[in-house]
Amino acid sequence: AAKGDGRGIHRFYSSEMHANAEDRRQLEEDLRHALASDALYLVYQPVVSSTTERITGYEALLRWNHPVRGAISPAVFIPIAEESGLIGPLGEWVLRTACRDAAQWIEDIRVAVNVSPIQFASPGLPSLVMSALAASQLAPERLELEITESVFLNDDDGTDATFARLKSLGVRLALDDFGTGYSSLGYLKKSPFDKIKIDQSFVRGAVVESSRNGAIIKAIVNLAEALGMDTTAEGAETQDELALIRNLGCSHIQGYVYGRPLEMQEVLERQRIHGTVALTEGFQSS
Ligand code: C2E
Ligand code: MG
Ligand code: MG
Ligand code: MG
């Protein structure tokens, strides 16, 4: 019986794994097709200044409506794109589209674009950024590139050179999901970030487990201020979280409390009606 169970388990796992590999292969093919046929789109989530309560920019977030499976999260398909090499053309499309959209906004506010560590490691990134800016006529200071701590896993001279070249183009750099990666502080000393984005996991529990998460957020804010960097608290959903985060001194806030990501047309409409005035969820449901 033991042998039978073992075989059963083995068969179960191998068919699971086969299904997963098959699944991924199919998704990769579908993603390749989606990219070629304009089935991907960007949505934009407001980032709000704590001091002025104005929208200072929007973060571009990639969306994919799969014809059969419906909406697939970027947390699922970005890793597939990274493993298959599709992240190159995909990342280029995101960067060019976000720059072109932002150049058409009514206000001259920023657009933040997520850059995969794989994209960051490719030698062509600075020239791609330059080309996207030139084609869209977007001012470099209006573009903010969001990079996670994992770029430092392959920390070498190439990483430093890429930072220096991007900085010399005049774009802004943000360190995304801070506190969730391997969090060595050494790179904060030498890397020219303009902003630290505090991961949602600290923000989300900040009200309930106030002392611990609050202490961590406060420490990150102090560190960022001492280094001359802004901070964005990610993922604030409630008025209580908003109040707490403002108290802790984060310079910017991004989260459902100030709005979910909007499609380009909705951004334009919002700008026409409200300009850069930030509204919390309660006021938006009109
Ligand atoms: P991220 O860059 O940290 O983006 C923030 C994520 O938090 C987004 O999820 C956003 O919709 C979500 N979020 C914002 N406010 C709230 C909130 O109040 N509550 C909750 N529960 N969630 C909130 P999304 O759009 O699913 O993206 C997930 C991740 O996928 C992003 O995390 C980023 O790492 C990656 N990603 C998205 N678009 C791109 C892209 O164009 N290129 C690359 N390389 N990665 C992307
Ligand atoms: Mg981001
Ligand atoms: Mg993040
Ligand atoms: Mg993230």
Side-chain angles (χ1 to χ4, degrees):
K3 194 181 166 196
D5 286 352
R7 279 226 315 270
I9 287 164
H10 178 72
R11 280 226 310 277
F12 173 76
Y13 277 127
S14 36
S15 64
E16 254 327 79
M17 278 160 64
H18 178 72
N20 282 340
E22 177 59 27
D23 231 40
R24 290 176 75 87
R25 199 201 51 74
Q26 184 63 51
L27 273 183
E28 181 190 325
E29 192 180 309
D30 293 349
L31 185 57
R32 202 176 294 277
H33 184 253
L35 180 60
S37 64
D38 279 334
L40 301 168
Y41 61 101
L42 294 178
V43 289
Y44 297 95
Q45 188 181 30
V47 179
V48 175
S49 159
S50 304
T51 47
T52 65
E53 289 190 80
R54 294 275 176 165
I55 295 174
T56 57
Y58 287 86
E59 178 177 7
L61 295 161
L62 189 55
R63 293 290 178 266
W64 180 19
N65 268 329
H66 189 281
V68 178
R69 297 165 191 244
I72 300 180
S73 165
V76 171
F77 69 79
I78 293 285
I80 293 177
E82 287 175 334
E83 281 163 32
S84 63
L86 262 182
I87 194 68
L90 190 62
E92 173 167 359
W93 181 85
V94 168
L95 190 62
R96 290 187 183 281
T97 306
C99 288
R100 202 171 51 229
D101 282 354
Q104 288 165 35
W105 291 346
I106 298 168
E107 277 102 17
D108 289 344
I109 52 178
R110 281 179 210 133
V111 64
V113 176
N114 292 285
V115 174
S116 152
I118 309 245
Q119 225 185 327
F120 190 87
S122 87
L125 182 67
S127 31
L128 169 61
V129 170
M130 201 155 56
S131 165
L133 290 171
S136 62
Q137 295 288 295
L138 187 76
E141 62 272 17
R142 290 184 56 198
L143 177 62
E144 186 165 81
L145 301 178
E146 297 194 358
I147 299 148
T148 61
E149 293 167 307
S150 52
V151 295
F152 298 104
L153 286 175
N154 301 316
D155 201 3
D156 57 15
D157 293 348
T159 312
D160 294 348
T162 302
F163 275 118
R165 287 193 60 199
L166 290 172
K167 212 57 222 169
S168 75
L169 295 177
V171 301
R172 288 170 51 97
L173 300 172
L175 183 52
D176 205 354
D177 301 345
F178 185 73
T180 59
Y182 86 124
S183 297
S184 153
L185 296 178
Y187 54 72
L188 277 184
K189 185 176 61 180
K190 62 170 187 170
S191 301
F193 291 106
D194 301 283
K195 173 185 273 188
I196 293 176
K197 298 192 77 175
I198 302 170
D199 191 71
Q200 337 195 343
S201 54
F202 300 109
V203 175
R204 197 60 43 71
V207 174
V208 205
E209 316 159 41
S210 53
S211 58
R212 299 182 78 81
N213 282 325
I216 291 170
I217 295 172
K218 186 73 206 158
I220 298 173
V221 168
N222 288 339
L223 178 67
E225 276 178 1
L227 294 169
M229 300 172 187
D230 291 341
T231 41
T232 295
E234 291 193 279
E237 291 185 351
T238 65
Q239 293 288 348
D240 285 352
E241 285 167 353
L242 178 59
L244 181 75
I245 281 155
R246 292 178 58 127
N247 257 325
L248 292 169
C250 293
S251 67
H252 296 76
I253 296 163
Q254 177 182 357
Y256 293 168
V257 70
Y258 278 128
R260 290 172 189 257
L262 303 171
E263 291 187 35
M264 171 65 173
Q265 283 313 314
E266 296 173 311
V267 172
L268 292 175
E269 196 173 306
R270 199 201 178 289
Q271 292 186 334
R272 253 192 312 273
I273 299 169
H274 300 294
T276 55
V277 175
L279 304 169
T280 50
E281 281 279 323
F283 298 100
Q284 285 177 351
S285 48
S286 58

